Amino acid sequence: MKVLKLHPLMTVSLLQMQFQRLLSCNIAVYMRNSPANAFDTLGEAGFPEEMLIEFPIDETLSLREFEEELEDKFNFTLELCNKDNKPFTNKSMHLFQLIASLSDGRKHNNEYNAQLDITLDRLLNNNHQGPQQIAC
């Protein structure tokens, strides 16, 4: 089962990397109806939670249903896009079809996956520590 990890301090670019790894597609994230910057955090984009959320991906959902579910649950808008960052026009296509069509035999890069997991772990570990004191 594929699991999307979301955290308010996660940047849009880190979320995009997760989507590339999990669903073999790109995403566009919107803040107040305009495209978010890659360095904006999910908290800035409207993510209401204050801790890590692990969200299982139901691959039987259509692209439209998946986008709407994320928007309803997590209060930020995203749109699934192809490799050229153009939104998919067939929103009734199911996620499992998207994964199969975009993977086109490409093997998942284990080093890339491990690096993404390390980045997520660092983000979470830094967040769990108390405020860092700076000596003057």
Side-chain angles (χ1 to χ4, degrees), residues 68-129:
E68 289 173 356
E69 184 176 11
L70 287 177
E71 185 172 343
D72 290 344
K73 285 189 180 209
F74 301 120
N75 200 33
F76 65 91
T77 305
L78 64 82
E79 191 165 26
L80 298 173
C81 303
N82 63 22
K83 292 178 184 178
D84 297 329
N85 291 323
K86 294 180 181 166
F88 289 104
T89 55
N90 182 3
K91 296 288 185 172
S92 62
M93 181 171 48
H94 294 275
L95 292 175
F96 68 85
Q97 293 171 306
L98 174 71
I99 295 165
S101 69
L102 290 179
S103 295
D104 58 25
R106 186 182 71 182
K107 295 179 182 174
H108 290 284
N109 184 337
N110 289 334
E111 186 175 315
Y112 174 80
N113 292 341
Q115 183 61 41
L116 179 60
D117 289 338
I118 290 169
T119 303
L120 286 170
D121 289 341
R122 283 185 185 157
L123 173 71
L124 298 175
N125 287 336
N126 288 340
N127 189 46
H128 290 305
Q129 297 173 355

Side-chain angles (χ1 to χ4, degrees), residues 58-75:
D58 180 355
E59 295 178 33
T60 64
L61 292 176
S62 71
L63 302 184
R64 179 180 294 109
E65 292 169 329
F66 182 67
E67 291 170 351
E68 289 173 356
E69 184 176 11
L70 287 177
E71 185 172 343
D72 290 344
K73 285 189 180 209
F74 301 120
N75 200 33

